[in-house]
Amino acid sequence: MKKEGRGGGKQPSVDERYTQWKSLVPVLYDWLANHNLVWPSLSCRWGPQLEQATYKNRQRLYLSEQTDGSVPNTLVIANCEIVKPRVAAAEHISQFNEEARSPFVKKFKTIIHPGEVNRIRELPQDSKIVATHTDSPDVLIWDVESQPNRHAVLGATESRPDMILTGHQDNAEFALAMCPTEPFVLSGGKDKSVVLWSIHDHISSLASNQATKSPGSGTSNTKSPKVDEVDHKTNSPTVHARGVFQGHDDTVEDVQFCPSSAQEFCSVGDDSCLILWDARTGSTPVIKVEKAHSADLHCVDWNPHDVNLILTGSADNSVRMFDRRNLTSGGVGSPIHTFEGHSAAVLCVQWSPHKPSVFGSSAEDGILNLWDYDKIGKQDSAGTEAQNSSSALFFRHAGHRDKVVDFHWNASDPWTIVSVSDDGESTGGGGTLQIWRMIDLIYRPEEDVLEELDKFKSHLQSCAP
């Protein structure tokens, strides 16, 4: 397990960095909820918004508990109260105990998961439908609202998935994505393959045993799914793949759909490759960038506002941004920008759902960085033009004391993020879940901020004796 470097006394220790961060919480954050987890959680996702009120909203939150076997592994559905902007008092958000559970996060339901939950992804068309990856070749589909609540005690029987997606020949542990435009699921695994399913027929109220092609999905040379089989162990219906796509030379670590097409997607893997696929043209790569990074690739995301921009994160500690119009197969990939702000492997990248130029990256160094590539080449208030990619880094969330394994922007509440770390024994073990929103003075346009500060200054002067 990698930690942030401490060589030569130049970098602070994890504890020193965390202490400094905590002292700055009232200044840097509009709101923060710190929630201690007894067991690590490797994934966290926002679910549907449940209620809107004057000062806070209530929303579903999905996370997991990865146990040591003394109790079952679980998929947890929680209710989260999200305080609205400029409501929380500074002294309130700074007063939290690292070992305590946040009053803003309350467990609503527990699903006993067959194996560790490595990844959770929600279906955009119906966010109460989630997919999970565990240490197996299958993808498990859950309707979290209809699933019964279970007690996670030793010896308890596992919950029954609503559907099982089959098609991998080896374990598929992490690479998992849901399509924004169609109820399609994408996965990658140790068998070096990318697998595509449609779950439209099963989740539709018009579903029948005869699989039909989902409307608007275009033509495809891959097979239609079958939902007329049952897994004998779980008694859950199984869905076969629409297509299996071969082109990687090592484990596929992450996959992502093109935001505008259910037939186009991309994948990254331990072979250092970024591959673009199109199910309409066959099961081989459309473009294969052989050396997208100088090490294993762990994560990828496709810009929902600009379908030409793709982010990748790697064990070489960097994030790269590619323009798919400039990509060609073979050779070394030529990113538009390389973003260097981590001191360990990047584990997760995600574009903001609200601002096209903003994205986040989290890493094994315990840091979650927020970037705005529009800042590259722009002049600051002093008239200095920033040319390098480090100028795009505008916020560093240092509230975790170990590797930040997953995070998710809140589509219903701009600038609110949930992040989770897998904490080692040196920081108490278990995990830490944090829900946070930086103070708006950080991301608002500079002229707006200066105008507000000037008003504040004038107010203070008028109050002076």
Side-chain angles (χ1 to χ4, degrees):
M1 184 177 295
K2 295 181 180 178
K3 296 277 189 176
E4 188 171 13
R6 307 182 189 183
K10 295 180 180 180
Q11 295 201 30
S13 69
V14 172
D15 289 340
E16 290 169 341
R17 184 187 71 194
Y18 179 79
T19 300
Q20 182 184 33
W21 168 82
K22 194 172 181 182
S23 70
L24 293 172
V25 164
V27 178
L28 297 177
Y29 294 84
D30 178 70
W31 180 60
L32 181 137
N34 188 89
H35 189 70
N36 177 262
L37 301 172
V38 176
W39 304 107
S41 178
L42 298 186
S43 196
C44 57
R45 301 293 286 186
W46 291 110
Q49 194 171 74
L50 303 173
E51 182 183 357
Q52 296 187 47
T54 305
Y55 298 110
K56 57 189 177 183
N57 298 328
R58 196 157 56 92
Q59 189 168 349
R60 287 276 194 261
L61 180 66
Y62 306 136
L63 59 148
S64 63
E65 293 174 320
Q66 182 180 356
T67 72
D68 61 1
S70 59
V71 293
N73 293 284
T74 63
L75 171 63
V76 176
I77 298 92
N79 288 337
C80 179
E81 292 184 339
I82 302 169
V83 176
K84 289 190 174 182
R86 299 200 170 194
V87 170
E91 58 270 20
H92 172 74
I93 65 170
S94 64
Q95 293 173 357
F96 63 86
N97 180 351
E98 287 83 356
E99 307 309 316
R101 299 204 163 196
S102 170
F104 295 103
V105 180
K106 292 183 171 63
K107 187 180 289 188
F108 170 71
K109 184 183 288 186
T110 298
I111 294 170
I112 298 180
H113 198 270
E116 298 174 349
V117 182
N118 297 328
R119 191 67 55 92
I120 306 166
R121 292 295 180 261
E122 76 291 347
L123 186 67
Q125 297 82 17
D126 186 352
S127 57
K128 73 175 188 294
I129 306 293
V130 303
T132 57
H133 255 328
T134 187
D135 296 343
S136 84
D138 300 330
V139 178
L140 307 181
I141 303 294
W142 309 88
D143 183 332
V144 295
E145 294 300 319
S146 65
Q147 281 283 335
N149 186 30
R150 303 290 302 279
H151 294 290
V153 295
L154 187 62
T157 57
E158 296 168 351
S159 298
R160 173 182 174 270
D162 291 275
M163 193 180 348
I164 298 176
L165 311 185
T166 62
H168 279 291
Q169 303 304 309
D170 199 347
N171 286 355
E173 297 173 337
F174 293 102
L176 183 63
M178 298 288 220
C179 178
T181 58
E182 298 278 346
F184 284 11
V185 181
L186 197 64
S187 170
K190 289 185 175 180
D191 57 2
K192 309 173 188 176
S193 66
V194 175
V195 183
L196 175 70
W197 296 269
S198 168
I199 58 173
H200 175 271
D201 306 290
H202 189 77
I203 64 171
S204 170
S205 59
L206 302 176
S208 67
N209 287 335
Q210 293 297 320
T212 57
K213 190 176 180 182
S214 59
S217 60
T219 58
S220 175
N221 62 353
T222 51
K223 296 183 294 183
S224 294
K226 298 176 183 177
V227 293
D228 56 349
E229 296 182 19
V230 172
D231 182 272
H232 296 297
K233 181 181 176 183
T234 64
N235 203 34
S236 300
T238 61
V239 175
H240 295 290
R242 276 182 174 257
V244 178
F245 302 84
Q246 303 284 354
H248 281 283
D249 300 315
D250 207 333
T251 299
V252 180
E253 291 285 356
D254 201 11
V255 290
Q256 191 56 259
F257 281 97
C258 174
S260 61
S261 171
Q263 304 295 326
E264 297 176 76
F265 39 91
C266 63
S267 59
V268 295
D270 290 344
D271 55 4
S272 302
C273 292
L274 164 65
I275 298 182
L276 273 59
W277 312 84
D278 190 329
R280 296 164 295 193
T281 63
S283 58
T284 55
V286 174
I287 296 174
K288 181 177 182 178
V289 182
E290 297 281 357
K291 290 291 181 184
H293 284 257
S294 59
D296 298 357
L297 273 74
H298 292 319
C299 47
V300 64
D301 198 26
W302 208 315
N303 193 317
H305 309 279
D306 184 344
V307 295
N308 291 311
L309 299 181
I310 297 172
L311 287 174
T312 56
S314 169
D316 66 8
N317 306 353
S318 74
V319 176
R320 293 186 174 182
M321 183 168 69
F322 295 90
D323 187 326
R324 68 168 173 170
R325 295 167 296 188
N326 301 338
L327 294 178
T328 55
S329 291
V332 178
S334 299
I336 305 172
H337 297 296
T338 298
F339 302 90
E340 296 179 337
H342 289 288
S343 60
V346 178
L347 301 178
C348 184
V349 290
Q350 192 193 6
W351 290 101
S352 164
H354 299 102
K355 190 172 181 183
S357 59
V358 170
F359 64 90
S361 62
S362 67
E364 290 186 355
D365 59 8
I367 298 291
L368 198 165
N369 284 331
L370 297 183
W371 311 78
D372 185 348
Y373 72 78
D374 266 357
K375 293 183 180 295
I376 301 170
K378 297 286 180 70
Q379 288 189 343
D380 60 21
S381 56
T384 304
E385 189 171 283
Q387 295 293 352
N388 59 41
S389 295
S390 62
S391 62
L393 178 60
F394 70 95
F395 192 79
R396 287 170 65 84
H397 177 65
H400 294 283
R401 290 172 290 172
D402 216 320
K403 55 184 178 181
V404 184
V405 289
D406 201 10
F407 71 93
H408 193 200
W409 294 87
N410 193 324
S412 303
D413 200 310
W415 298 102
T416 299
I417 292 174
V418 59
S419 52
V420 69
S421 57
D422 181 0
D423 299 340
E425 292 304 319
S426 62
T427 52
T432 302
L433 181 133
Q434 292 181 337
I435 303 158
W436 52 276
R437 183 194 308 118
M438 77 188 91
I439 193 166
D440 63 6
L441 297 177
I442 294 173
Y443 58 79
R444 282 169 51 202
E446 187 175 354
E447 56 272 17
D448 290 358
V449 172
L450 292 174
E451 183 180 350
E452 180 170 338
L453 292 176
D454 189 58
K455 290 178 181 177
F456 185 65
K457 177 182 175 183
S458 301
H459 174 72
L460 289 178
Q461 289 174 340
S462 65
C463 295

